[in-house]
Amino acid sequence: MIRQMPLLEIHNLSVTFTNYQGTSSVLDRVRLSVEKGEILGLVGESGCGKSVTARAVLGLIPMPPGKIGSGSIRFKGEDLTRASKKRMRGIRGNEISMIFQEPMSCLNPVFTVGNQMREVIRIHRRLRGRQAEELCADMLSRVQMPDPLAVLKKYPHELSGGMRQRVMIAMELVCGPDLLIADEPTTALDVTVQGQVLAILMKLSRERDISVLMITHDMGVVAQVCDRVAVMYAGRVVETAPVKQLFSDPRHPYTRGLIASIPDMDGTGCLHSIPGNVPGLIDPPKGCRFHPRCEDRITPCDIRVPELEAVSPDHYVACHAVETAGPEQGEDR
Ligand SMILES: Nc1ncnc2c1ncn2[C@@H]1O[C@H](COP(=O)(O)OP(=O)(O)OP(=O)(O)O)[C@@H](O)[C@H]1O
Ligand SMILES: [Mg+2]
């Protein structure tokens, strides 16, 4: 079967940041792909490089101190690492949209929601007046905002956190992106509102065939919304799998640790934590970056970097201790 080209394909992407202390290897040969219409979860501990990956896709790595050392980011076949600043401005907000953890940082406090939405519509859709007003109200009702016409007259601070995040989603969707990058979109919300916002994102993704790169450190969010998952550790992707498979058969010791640290629903189990700390990235551990914390480590782990290899057709793991079917054949999963 010939596989369709993924919408987004990150291949061997390496990013460094240099400051007076030295050069940190923040992303090391990151490989992942997002298919058309799928929701890919990108998970891992704080500082593992999730947001830097997102920023690299959007062409928003500050250079210097950042530098893309190698690799490619193919979006609809075009390598974004080679795109001009003008081209990237055209892609951002049109073909690729992004929503952040704290919507207040993206909404302007001195303008009403209506003002800000109409401005986005004027720029991206070239609509004004009645048509813009109708589109605003339509987008707000798509994100299940009660009484959209009243919300348009409000200032951001008059809305709750969940409502602000819905306004952000509505604004980002005005331009009809192919890919939505959501960086911890629900972390600041309480669980019930989080559930509503995630359900809206899922519905919109399905209805409009929008791919989503869902960045989170919350495995509960992953289980709830994602089709496939990429697990990152200290700047590398260590495992990718369809979501059910990742939870039922996690292979990388780090993924197993992440899953074991999810609290039990009944609160009876003791909370597991992965021993040790995330390593510094100026002088990261040789070989597998997880080996100093790993209970399964074997001889080559502290010498040789494990490559992502297939354990089953859509399941890849980078671990010397896991028996695999061999190196991946030209696919970046
Ligand atoms: N502008 C920058 N200058 C220097 N270092 C940076 C910069 N941006 C990110 N980094 C470093 O890159 C590493 C990865 O950061 P990143 O923000 O991608 O982590 P993350 O996985 O998104 O974490 P979190 O879950 O806390 O959001 C960190 O060590 C961070 O200090
Ligand atoms: Mg982040």
Side-chain angles (χ1 to χ4, degrees):
M1 189 179 78
I2 299 173
R3 211 182 190 123
Q4 238 189 333
M5 186 174 64
L7 181 74
L8 177 77
E9 190 169 33
I10 302 181
H11 185 78
N12 282 354
L13 182 71
S14 296
V15 171
T16 56
F17 281 102
T18 303
N19 65 14
Y20 67 95
Q21 290 176 310
T23 297
S24 320
S25 161
V26 167
L27 298 185
D28 184 45
R29 283 166 288 157
V30 164
R31 295 173 147 209
L32 59 86
S33 63
V34 185
E35 306 287 336
K36 184 95 190 97
E38 89 168 336
I39 304 183
L40 179 84
L42 186 58
V43 290
E45 275 164 296
S46 186
C48 71
K50 305 181 295 292
S51 297
V52 170
T53 305
R55 287 181 159 272
V57 173
L58 292 160
L60 291 176
I61 302 253
M63 295 197 247
K67 186 178 170 212
I68 295 184
S70 65
S72 59
I73 302 170
R74 293 203 172 273
F75 176 67
K76 295 196 268 186
E78 177 182 359
D79 185 358
L80 301 185
T81 62
R82 292 166 186 276
S84 66
K85 285 197 174 136
K86 186 168 172 229
R87 173 78 187 120
M88 284 314 297
R89 275 198 299 275
I91 287 175
R92 278 196 301 270
N94 283 314
E95 294 167 64
I96 307 178
S97 283
M98 182 148 182
I99 51 176
F100 296 92
Q101 178 174 342
E102 187 26 84
M104 218 36 201
S105 60
C106 305
L107 292 168
N108 192 327
V110 300
F111 292 107
T112 63
V113 168
N115 277 331
Q116 298 183 58
M117 286 193 80
R118 281 191 294 272
E119 180 65 5
V120 171
I121 288 170
R122 187 183 64 75
I123 294 168
H124 292 283
R125 293 283 190 94
R126 296 177 205 283
L127 296 177
R128 288 168 191 269
R130 266 281 289 286
Q131 285 177 309
E133 195 74 14
E134 279 168 13
L135 187 55
C136 286
D138 179 51
M139 291 313 294
L140 286 178
S141 50
R142 278 177 199 274
V143 295
Q144 291 160 26
M145 185 76 90
D147 202 355
L149 292 176
V151 168
L152 287 172
K153 296 195 179 76
K154 291 196 189 272
Y155 288 88
H157 71 267
E158 296 179 273
L159 305 177
S160 69
M163 287 168 105
R164 285 200 286 262
Q165 198 57 291
R166 287 182 208 199
V167 169
M168 277 310 300
I169 297 171
M171 277 167 72
E172 292 302 326
L173 293 174
V174 161
C175 34
D178 301 293
L179 175 67
L180 178 69
I181 300 180
D183 194 350
E184 307 271 6
T186 57
T187 308
L189 306 175
D190 68 58
V191 264
T192 47
V193 180
Q194 168 174 316
Q196 289 164 5
V197 171
L198 291 175
I200 290 166
L201 274 175
M202 269 175 85
K203 184 164 169 281
L204 289 168
S205 158
R206 300 286 180 254
E207 275 174 11
R208 304 185 145 215
D209 207 20
I210 298 171
S211 308
V212 182
L213 178 61
M214 173 72 73
I215 296 176
T216 178
H217 58 262
D218 185 338
M219 291 304 262
V221 170
V222 170
Q224 200 178 335
V225 301
C226 298
D227 300 307
R228 218 155 48 80
V229 194
V231 181
M232 281 188 85
Y233 182 77
R236 289 191 185 136
V237 173
V238 294
E239 184 159 9
T240 67
V243 71
K244 280 198 183 125
Q245 204 161 340
L246 192 93
F247 281 97
S248 63
D249 187 20
R251 295 299 186 90
H252 197 283
Y254 175 64
T255 315
R256 293 208 304 269
L258 270 188
I259 291 173
S261 52
I262 302 172
D264 286 347
M265 282 299 282
D266 59 5
T268 51
C270 70
L271 212 54
H272 172 88
S273 67
I274 304 171
N277 293 312
V278 182
L281 298 176
I282 290 188
D283 186 19
K286 301 266 175 304
C288 172
R289 290 184 175 181
F290 187 62
H291 85 260
R293 300 173 77 183
C294 183
E295 289 168 358
D296 296 354
R297 67 170 172 265
I298 50 174
T299 314
C301 297
D302 59 347
I303 306 166
R304 197 153 48 81
V305 178
E307 297 295 329
L308 272 179
E309 293 184 7
V311 280
S312 61
D314 208 15
H315 190 166
Y316 294 82
V317 62
C319 176
H320 293 303
V322 172
E323 215 163 285
T324 61
E328 55 176 327
Q329 307 271 315
E331 284 191 50
D332 306 320
R333 307 298 305 211

